[in-house]
């Protein structure tokens, strides 16, 4: 049957917004404001109801998490972490994969990539030169470009999920800076080709690790936030919080990072792992030369300042409070200190983030003396670096979801997808992840998740499948943007840096397939006990899920996976 008037109006709104989001005819956050105009005019929702959706708890968590990220960047703590490298096994690509993924767990992957690419290419340049240049104390021009730039904060936090950045201004020659090749007369075409491939591998290593690392934490990348079931299922009992998300996503990130590193090693450096890992005299000498460069730059930072130490302490406190608020397997401080009538924590992860964020405005950046020093954060810095556009984009997604629910469109779509009940659940998860991973190559990953997740949740309800079984893997799949330079800002950054062609990135489609397979493994294994996926949750019941009661009774009589 055809949808009713309200359902059709809501479907028209979604199609219109999807068209504008995909073509970027208007800025993405401007398109996200459409529901405020369309829904009241179409009789779907009151304007007051729509506006509330633009500043929900998920937005508060996003703002609070970015306050800490801004403080980390403002005091260059992220650069100190990036330059803290010690010689060891794993090869150069492995070291930079670990560092990029760790930083991206806590700060913007755009900022991570923009900071690490010049440093990584400085290391690459030393690997291509002899150790004699390092012993003579020659300066590295790539580091000078990074240090001397008046626009060291060229990217705004959150751009990774919305904008397509222009070529970076701190790279010379209109964004084209190529790694130095040996000028020795003994250099051969084969050596230059090998060095170019190593340069390409290093660039892709940094941007891929930044994209992969963001999936590990709930605040690591913006698409993770719409996956929270709060906006679709308010009575979910806080099943997705910082701790449960980390338990599910961190192993997924670790496996995907390992496989992507091995893939890049084989693709760009070949199967000679003994040479790739730095065994042997000349290889070891070059690796030591690269580490010497990094250690020299680390020493230039000097000892940690009071501000860096204060931000580090507050960062650790924030993570500890997130993990222990309501971990699930024991009573957290939220359950004990601020319980509701059901014993659940009334304080959310957003409460914790804002609490630490306010403290950043109170703690001085220096030990107080005769003159009061400035605070760790000031509003001017926050206003310049906070991606308010992403706040509007998230709100637009929440408004779309609420409108779909109010109009009955979600229920109608779910009914049309009931034939999928005969398809095995793992096959559904795999196909949907593949669809999302393909779609996110062409459009914003935030727009992708906000468009698809409400529909997928309704589909799961219609076929009596746990909604998180499809929502969680599709959210992770939205971060698998590895093929196109325009797919995500980290890709665009390394592409503008030089040494890469579009064909070099498009040919890495196998990494997308590997990512989908790893996510499918995760949702069908360790995620089951974390989110209790083997049962249909009571908070997902609706008027259309009455038949799920009988199915649920049959499921609970069989052993859970």
């Amino acid at each position: 049957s055809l949808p009713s008037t309200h359902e059709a109006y809501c479907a028209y709104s979604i199609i219109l917004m999807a068209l504008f989001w995909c073509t970027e005819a208007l800025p993405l956050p401007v398109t996200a404001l459409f529901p405020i105009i369309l829904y009241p005019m179409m009789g779907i929702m009151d304007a007051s109801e729509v506006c509330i959706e633009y500043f929900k708890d998920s937005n508060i968590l996003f703002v609070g998490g970015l306050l800490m990220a801004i403080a980390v960047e403002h005091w260059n703590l992220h650069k100190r972490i990036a330059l803290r490298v010690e010689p060891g096994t794993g090869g150069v690509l492995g070291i930079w994969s670990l560092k990029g993924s760790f930083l991206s767990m806590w700060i913007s992957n755009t900022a991570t990539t923009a900071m690490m690419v010049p440093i990584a290419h400085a290391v690459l340049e030393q690997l291509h030169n002899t150790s004699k240049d390092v012993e003579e104390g020659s300066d590295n021009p790539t580091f000078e470009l990074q240090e001397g730039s008046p626009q060291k904060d060229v990217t705004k936090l959150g751009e990774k999920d919305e904008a397509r950045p222009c070529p970076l201004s701190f790279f010379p020659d209109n964004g084209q800076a190529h790694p130095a090749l040996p000028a020795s007369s003994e250099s051969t075409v084969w050596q230059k080709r090998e060095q170019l491939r190593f340069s390409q591998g290093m660039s892709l290593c940094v941007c891929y690790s930044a994209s992969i690392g963001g999936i590990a934490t709930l605040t690591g990348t913006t698409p993770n936030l719409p996956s929270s079931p709060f906006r679709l299922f308010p009575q979910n009992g806080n099943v997705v919080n910082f701790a449960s998300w980390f338990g599910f996503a961190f192993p997924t990130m670790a496996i995907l990072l390992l496989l992507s590193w091995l893939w890049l090693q084989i693709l760009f450096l070949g199967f000679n792992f003994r040479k790739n890992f730095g065994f042997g005299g000349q290889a070891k000498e070059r690796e030591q030369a690269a580490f010497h460069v990094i250690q020299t730059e680390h020493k230039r930072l000097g000892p940690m300042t009071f501000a860096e130490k204060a931000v580090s302490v507050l960062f650790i406190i924030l993570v500890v409070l997130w993990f222990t608020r309501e971990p699930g397997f024991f009573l957290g401080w939220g359950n004990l200190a601020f319980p509701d009538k059901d014993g659940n924590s009334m304080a959310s992860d957003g409460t914790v983030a804002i609490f630490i964020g306010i403290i950043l405005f109170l703690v001085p950046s220096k030990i107080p003396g005769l003159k009061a020093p400035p605070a760790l954060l000031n509003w001017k810095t926050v206003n310049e670096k906070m991606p308010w556009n992403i706040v509007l984009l998230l709100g637009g997604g929440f408004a779309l979801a609420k409108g779909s629910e109010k109009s009955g469109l979600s229920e109608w779509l779910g009914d049309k997808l009931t034939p999928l009940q005969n398809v095995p659940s793992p096959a559904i998860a795999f196909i949907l992840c593949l669809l999302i991973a393909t779609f996110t190559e062409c459009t914003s990953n935030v727009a992708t998740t906000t468009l698809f997740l409400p529909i997928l949740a309704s589909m799961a309800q219609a076929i009596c499948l746990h909604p998180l079984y499809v929502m969680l893997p599709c959210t992770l799949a939205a971060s698998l943007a590895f093929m196109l330079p325009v797919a995500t800002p980290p890709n665009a950054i390394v592409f503008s840096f030089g040494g890469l062609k579009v064909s070099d990135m498009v040919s890495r489609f196998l990494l997308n397939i590997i990512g989908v397979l790893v996510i499918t493994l995760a949702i069908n294994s360790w995620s089951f006990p974390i989110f209790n996926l083997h049962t249909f949750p009571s908070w997902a019941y609706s008027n259309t899920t009455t038949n799920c009661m009988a199915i649920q009774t049959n499921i609970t009589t069989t052993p859970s996976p």
Side-chain angles (χ1 to χ4, degrees), residues 41-62:
M41 294 176 62
M42 294 175 173
I44 297 173
M45 292 174 66
D46 290 336
S48 58
E49 291 181 284
V50 180
C51 292
I52 291 175
E53 300 297 318
Y54 282 81
F55 214 64
K56 297 175 76 69
D57 183 68
S58 295
N59 295 60
I60 292 294
L61 175 59
F62 175 71

Side-chain angles (χ1 to χ4, degrees), residues 281-357:
Q282 187 178 9
K284 196 68 177 178
E285 181 180 285
R286 291 181 178 179
E287 186 171 316
Q288 289 294 335
F291 282 120
H292 180 79
V293 174
I294 298 175
Q295 289 168 354
T296 301
E297 291 302 316
H298 187 269
K299 289 177 182 178
R300 289 185 184 180
L301 295 176
M304 287 188 70
T305 62
F306 177 82
E308 288 179 282
K309 293 177 181 178
V311 171
S312 300
V313 171
L314 289 174
F315 172 76
I316 293 172
I317 293 174
L318 174 63
V319 175
V320 170
L321 289 177
W322 268 340
F323 274 109
T324 58
R325 181 184 63 84
E326 199 171 30
F329 50 90
F330 67 87
L331 289 177
W333 59 265
N335 305 101
L336 298 174
F338 310 104
D340 60 11
K341 61 180 181 179
D342 297 322
N344 298 319
S345 172
M346 295 186 70
S348 67
D349 289 332
T351 307
V352 176
I354 293 298
F355 172 68
I356 298 296

Side-chain angles (χ1 to χ4, degrees), residues 336-404:
L336 298 174
F338 310 104
D340 60 11
K341 61 180 181 179
D342 297 322
N344 298 319
S345 172
M346 295 186 70
S348 67
D349 289 332
T351 307
V352 176
I354 293 298
F355 172 68
I356 298 296
I358 292 175
I359 292 178
L360 289 169
F361 287 94
L362 298 175
V363 176
S365 57
K366 297 179 181 178
I367 299 176
L370 296 177
K371 184 180 179 181
L376 293 173
L377 270 186
N378 59 74
W379 186 250
K380 181 181 179 182
T381 302
V382 172
N383 192 44
E384 290 174 352
K385 294 188 176 182
M386 179 66 70
W388 303 110
N389 49 357
I390 300 298
V391 176
L392 292 178
L393 190 58
L394 282 172
F398 296 152
L400 275 183
K402 194 67 175 180
S404 299

